[in-house]
């Protein structure tokens, strides 16, 4: 079984400030990790993913996440946020081997960027 | 960019009625999924479907639920007799391979049971 913990339900931040959204996971097997973003009244969009290789992964809009196996974390960061980054962010995990290809999601973090 | 299409975007139904949610996955994808998100809660896995059969289902996916791929393009979720607690956003997703390429989600169907 696997689980994902997003400790922060809401993160308010001023525009152009840095932000970190925390994600920790638990799994007895190796995993793939994902961050999804959900804008108001829209579906889930894949932001970035870690499959293997470099532990630092980046998205096209300036977000990055680092896989830390020893700390079982996959925190999402952005050095300077924009008002348009206001959304809900979900961390998710799936097993990388064997059966069970479902995604397990965290409870989400609402990022609110203020002027 | 290819996308997963879900219809309708919003459906209101009376308790006890049957409802069918429709999805058109990305054409070359092989794995199909349904997830749901009750308002204010996290996204939960319902079922995965591969090679014309259910590959995994959650405890939420009881006998009231069924999935079908009636033709080469559509993937449907049927709720036989809706309950108030079935009110949620239902997301369809598809993936090309088992887990590794990330899932493409549709924009969801908001189901309201009254």
């Amino acid at each position: 079984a696997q689980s994902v913990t997003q400790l922060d339900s809401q993160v308010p931040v001023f525009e152009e400030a840095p932000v970190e959204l925390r994600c920790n996971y638990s799994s007895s097997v190796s995993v793939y990790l994902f961050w999804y973003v959900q804008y108001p009244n829209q579906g889930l969009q894949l932001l970035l993913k870690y499959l293997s290789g470099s532990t630092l992964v980046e998205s096209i809009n300036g977000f990055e996440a680092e896989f830390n196996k020893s700390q079982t974390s996959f925190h999402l960061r952005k050095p300077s946020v924009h008002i348009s980054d206001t959304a809900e962010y979900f961390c998710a995990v799936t097993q990388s081997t064997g059966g069970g290809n479902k995604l397990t999601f965290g409870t989400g973090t609402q990022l609110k960027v203020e002027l | 960019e290819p996308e997963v299409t879900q219809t309708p975007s919003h459906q209101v139904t009376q308790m006890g009625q049957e409802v069918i949610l429709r999805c058109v996955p990305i054409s070359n994808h092989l794995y199909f999924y349904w997830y749901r998100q009750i308002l204010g809660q996290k996204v939960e896995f319902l079922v995965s479907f591969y090679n014309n059969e259910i590959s995994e289902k959650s405890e939420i996916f009881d006998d009231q639920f069924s999935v079908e791929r009636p033709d080469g393009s559509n993937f449907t979720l049927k709720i036989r007799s809706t309950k108030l607690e079935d009110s949620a956003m239902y997301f369809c997703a598809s993936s090309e391979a088992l887990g590794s390429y990330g899932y493409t989600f549709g924009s969801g169907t908001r189901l309201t049971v009254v």
Side-chain angles (χ1 to χ4, degrees):
Chain A
Q2 58 212 22
S3 65
V4 177
T5 302
Q6 292 181 251
L7 287 172
D8 306 305
S9 59
Q10 290 188 33
V11 173
V13 63
F14 287 109
E15 193 171 26
E16 297 183 5
V19 71
E20 179 178 81
L21 307 183
R22 295 181 292 169
C23 171
N24 288 88
Y25 70 93
S26 171
S27 177
S28 56
V29 298
S30 59
V31 295
Y32 294 140
L33 293 153
F34 306 84
W35 275 99
Y36 282 85
V37 58
Q38 185 179 32
Y39 297 102
N41 300 314
Q42 293 188 29
L44 296 162
Q45 298 176 30
L46 179 65
L47 188 60
L48 45 74
K49 60 190 176 190
Y50 171 76
L51 306 180
S52 63
S54 172
T55 57
L56 184 67
V57 290
E58 298 177 354
S59 72
I60 57 172
N61 56 354
F63 282 94
E64 63 179 31
E66 185 157 21
F67 171 57
N68 188 318
K69 190 174 181 179
S70 63
Q71 297 186 7
T72 60
S73 68
F74 191 55
H75 301 331
L76 181 70
R77 295 189 291 262
K78 189 170 186 180
S80 176
V81 295
H82 189 266
I83 197 85
S84 60
D85 293 325
T86 295
E88 183 122 27
Y89 292 80
F90 292 93
C91 183
V93 63
T94 189
Q95 292 181 359
S96 63
T97 57
N101 52 347
K102 66 181 181 185
L103 279 173
T104 300
F105 284 85
T107 50
T109 298
Q110 178 67 44
L111 174 64
K112 185 171 183 184
V113 181
E114 301 167 351
L115 293 171
Chain B
E1 188 170 330
E3 56 183 33
V4 174
T5 305
Q6 288 186 247
T7 55
S9 58
H10 191 186
Q11 175 136 15
V12 181
T13 189
Q14 296 234 325
M15 191 168 53
Q17 293 296 305
E18 176 183 285
V19 65
I20 297 176
L21 309 183
R22 302 182 191 279
C23 169
V24 179
I26 293 174
S27 60
N28 64 336
H29 283 189
L30 302 175
Y31 298 84
F32 313 112
Y33 316 85
W34 284 101
Y35 290 79
R36 80 171 185 191
Q37 184 183 28
I38 294 173
L39 189 63
Q41 298 185 26
K42 68 178 177 180
V43 179
E44 302 172 291
F45 168 78
L46 291 178
V47 65
S48 59
F49 191 86
Y50 170 69
N51 201 24
N52 281 321
E53 61 182 25
I54 291 174
S55 49
E56 188 175 357
K57 59 183 180 180
S58 71
E59 58 198 25
I60 302 168
F61 194 88
D62 61 22
D63 292 343
Q64 293 297 319
F65 292 88
S66 63
V67 289
E68 194 177 34
R69 189 156 163 81
D71 52 42
S73 59
N74 290 284
F75 180 51
T76 61
L77 173 69
K78 182 193 291 186
I79 308 174
R80 202 182 335 259
S81 177
T82 50
K83 309 186 198 71
L84 294 176
E85 54 264 37
D86 293 327
S87 294
M89 181 73 93
Y90 287 81
F91 292 107
C92 175
S94 67
S95 70
E96 188 174 353
L98 198 66
S100 63
Y101 294 99
Y103 301 66
T104 302
F105 281 83
S107 54
T109 293
R110 180 165 296 286
L111 177 65
T112 303
V113 182
V114 298

